[in-house]
Amino acid sequence: MNTSPRQKILIVDDEPDIRELLEITLGRMKLETFSARNLGEAQALLQREHFDLCLTDMRLPDGTGLELVQHIQQRAPHLPVAMITAYGSLETAINALKAGAFDFLTKPVELPRLRELVSSALRLPTAGGLSTAIERRLLGDSPPMANLRKQIDKLARSQAPVYISGESGSGKELVARLIHEQGPRASQPFVPVNCGAIPSELMESEFFGHRKGSFTGAVEDKPGLFQAAHGGTLFLDEVADLPLSMQVKLLRAIQEKAVRSVGGQQETVVDVRILCATHKDLEAEVSAERFRQDLYYRLNVIELRVPSLRERRDDIEALAMHVLKRLAKDTGQPEARLHSQALEALKNYRFPGNVRELENVLERAHTLCENRTIEAQDLRLSEGNCTADGAMADLTQIDNLEDYLESVERKLILQALEETRWNRTAAAQRLSLSFRSMRYRLKKLGLD
């Protein structure tokens, strides 16, 4: 016989009919409910009882649901709160999410959606386990990283869309994965997609799927990325690279929570949390009219900035040691030692490619070093990075200027491609080149 105590839900609404509907529905889910008619009664119940979830109306006789969210954030930050708003009050819902609400419902309340929200909220990890799990995956003790871990901990307990900003190679996808893995959707799919790597003519099919025969080559039905991420998280990396025509369709899918496959007649309901990232300044892209303002506001409910490696140089040693341990394990060789001068060189280097570049540098040095000791020269930090560290070219080593400039160009282009995971569009932007110019240079250098 199961004697474990039932989970407790606090319902805050001044309308008796709404309270009764919620009480009956949650009672059938074997949950214990407590009801309050106003803000004062809710605060008194919160002082006396421990709750697992709070559902509150936005408008209360003596205050607002937003005030209750703020009250709970201060006193019980790990208690999820869901806001119930009038239909169409999107701005109110977004303000609630920014204040710390877990999610929101619109009136009239749809019971399947209510049950789904409640089940999701009750799957949240208990307080205390989050920070430890995040710390194991996100290395570094610097103040910027401590702040980042704290924000991930908080955002994992929400369903709010998050815009993750930061330079290429800084770890934006890892941050997105941690938000997913520490939240209630952890057992469901995490689907990452590089928006800059999908040809524009295939985008609609990739995102929403297609039906057999809908276009040449569509030999069978294929689900899209939204369907693949159903119940979980869809991570849109380099979202600024989406063409305007696709931005319109993405906005509609997010608003309607439904998609229609190419060639399909019916819409499919999808339940996904959207996380997105880009190394570009998304606000500047909106100002330049390359990114829709309405989509920007839907995606950027909460912005989370990932610091560059330059902003957390104190973490370089710990990161380097971690990478060398992993390389030793992967290669089955003894762990390489980092000479003090090599460590100093790493700490003084600019790292335009951030953590990804650090990994590439150490992997190369791990292969080149003698006697399992990485010397400063094994890092080859100055190659192709003259402007980064102020190094001057040695004229005695140059036989032909054209050949030398071509070799420098090759190294810089290869570095940009490595930093952007061989995304040619992103690499061109990293070097401030047009895509046409990038394509010409790749062909000229034999890199295409």
Side-chain angles (χ1 to χ4, degrees):
M1 181 178 177
N2 185 5
T3 58
S4 59
R6 291 199 297 173
Q7 290 171 295
K8 297 178 181 179
I9 314 297
L10 174 60
I11 298 167
V12 188
D13 201 301
D14 62 327
E15 295 183 46
D17 291 348
I18 296 288
R19 289 200 307 273
E20 185 178 4
L21 173 66
L22 296 178
E23 287 167 357
I24 292 171
T25 304
L26 298 182
R28 287 173 177 166
M29 295 176 69
K30 309 300 182 187
L31 300 169
E32 186 176 358
T33 60
F34 293 73
S35 293
R37 295 169 296 180
N38 53 50
L39 188 61
E41 287 184 8
Q43 290 173 341
L45 278 168
L46 283 163
Q47 201 165 4
R48 295 198 308 268
E49 296 283 347
H50 167 82
F51 292 101
D52 298 288
L53 172 64
C54 174
L55 299 171
T56 178
D57 192 16
M58 181 59 195
R59 294 185 177 181
L60 299 170
D62 56 347
T64 67
L66 205 56
E67 289 176 71
L68 184 57
V69 171
Q70 292 164 342
H71 175 87
I72 290 172
Q73 278 291 302
Q74 291 171 0
R75 291 164 177 79
H78 282 83
L79 170 61
V81 187
M83 184 75 70
I84 303 172
T85 68
Y87 179 77
S89 302
L90 181 61
E91 187 176 347
T92 300
I94 287 175
N95 287 336
L97 291 172
K98 286 182 176 179
F102 168 76
D103 208 342
F104 66 92
L105 291 164
T106 55
K107 291 182 179 180
V109 175
E110 297 178 2
L111 296 186
R113 168 75 180 126
L114 169 65
R115 286 190 286 265
E116 179 185 280
L117 182 150
V118 170
S119 297
S120 181
L122 296 178
R123 285 196 303 269
L124 280 168
T126 55
L130 287 175
S131 296
T132 305
I134 294 168
E135 193 170 344
R136 284 198 301 266
R137 298 280 302 281
L138 206 60
L139 300 176
D141 296 321
S142 62
M145 293 306 287
N147 183 54
L148 179 62
R149 279 195 288 268
K150 184 178 178 182
Q151 289 177 294
I152 292 172
D153 193 329
K154 181 176 179 179
L155 293 175
R157 304 190 67 83
S158 167
Q159 294 300 287
V162 180
Y163 162 47
I164 304 168
S165 62
E167 296 178 6
S168 292
S170 57
K172 297 187 292 295
E173 183 173 333
L174 173 59
V175 167
R177 283 185 181 276
L178 286 169
I179 291 172
H180 168 78
E181 289 171 6
Q182 303 305 313
R185 296 175 179 263
S187 62
Q188 300 302 315
F190 175 85
V191 179
V193 51
N194 189 325
C195 298
I198 304 175
S200 56
E201 65 273 15
L202 296 178
M203 275 193 172
E204 189 173 357
S205 169
E206 284 295 312
F207 275 95
F208 309 133
H210 63 251
R211 300 300 302 274
K212 179 181 178 180
S214 56
F215 56 85
T216 304
V219 295
E220 59 183 0
D221 289 354
K222 179 190 171 186
L225 294 164
F226 268 85
Q227 292 96 322
H230 180 67
T233 302
L234 182 61
F235 173 53
L236 305 174
D237 199 5
E238 300 303 348
V239 70
D241 290 344
L242 287 173
L244 287 167
S245 59
M246 190 61 208
Q247 291 176 29
V248 176
K249 293 168 183 172
L250 177 62
L251 176 64
R252 186 181 183 281
I254 293 171
Q255 286 177 332
E256 302 298 325
K257 296 187 176 182
V259 297
R260 179 181 296 171
S261 59
V262 177
Q265 300 300 315
Q266 302 293 326
E267 287 195 330
T268 303
V269 174
V270 287
D271 167 33
V272 297
R273 183 182 186 184
I274 300 289
L275 304 178
C276 71
T278 179
H279 72 281
K280 294 182 181 179
D281 183 337
L282 207 51
E283 198 167 343
E285 293 296 301
V286 172
S287 299
E289 298 184 350
R290 290 188 291 265
F291 201 85
R292 292 181 61 97
Q293 188 174 51
D294 47 7
L295 178 59
Y296 171 71
Y297 286 132
R298 288 307 300 262
L299 296 175
N300 188 26
V301 171
I302 298 173
E303 180 174 353
L304 178 61
R305 184 177 172 277
V306 182
S308 68
L309 194 51
R310 295 184 300 283
E311 296 171 74
R312 54 186 192 105
R313 293 185 186 277
D314 291 344
D315 295 332
I316 288 177
E317 183 172 2
L319 287 167
M321 296 303 105
H322 174 76
V323 172
L324 292 177
K325 277 187 172 66
R326 176 172 56 78
L327 288 171
K329 183 179 179 182
D330 291 347
T331 60
Q333 296 177 340
E335 187 177 329
R337 186 177 71 88
L338 196 62
H339 192 280
S340 59
Q341 290 180 349
L343 177 59
E344 194 63 25
L346 289 174
K347 288 183 175 180
N348 291 328
Y349 182 61
R350 186 172 174 270
F351 280 111
N354 292 291
V355 178
R356 191 181 302 139
E357 185 181 5
L358 173 64
E359 291 174 340
N360 291 339
V361 164
L362 289 172
E363 188 169 352
R364 183 175 60 216
H366 185 269
T367 304
L368 295 174
C369 72
E370 300 287 343
N371 302 318
R372 313 312 308 154
T373 299
I374 296 176
E375 306 283 352
Q377 61 267 26
D378 295 325
L379 300 171
R380 298 170 63 183
L381 292 177
S382 62
E383 293 191 15
N385 289 290
C386 303
T387 56
D389 57 10
M392 296 287 287
D394 182 357
L395 294 178
T396 64
Q397 302 297 315
I398 300 175
D399 296 322
N400 181 294
L401 180 61
E402 290 297 330
D403 289 345
Y404 175 76
L405 291 176
E406 187 173 293
S407 71
V408 171
E409 183 179 17
R410 178 190 296 272
K411 287 170 185 171
L412 288 171
I413 288 175
L414 284 171
Q415 181 183 332
L417 287 167
E418 284 182 5
E419 290 175 12
T420 58
R421 286 181 280 185
W422 292 83
N423 181 332
R424 296 184 180 196
T425 303
Q429 292 165 348
R430 181 80 184 78
L431 297 168
S432 298
L433 296 173
S434 68
F435 185 73
R436 180 177 292 180
S437 176
M438 182 67 163
R439 193 165 52 188
Y440 165 76
R441 289 165 191 269
L442 290 171
K443 188 173 183 179
K444 181 186 74 168
L445 296 168
L447 298 172
D448 60 342

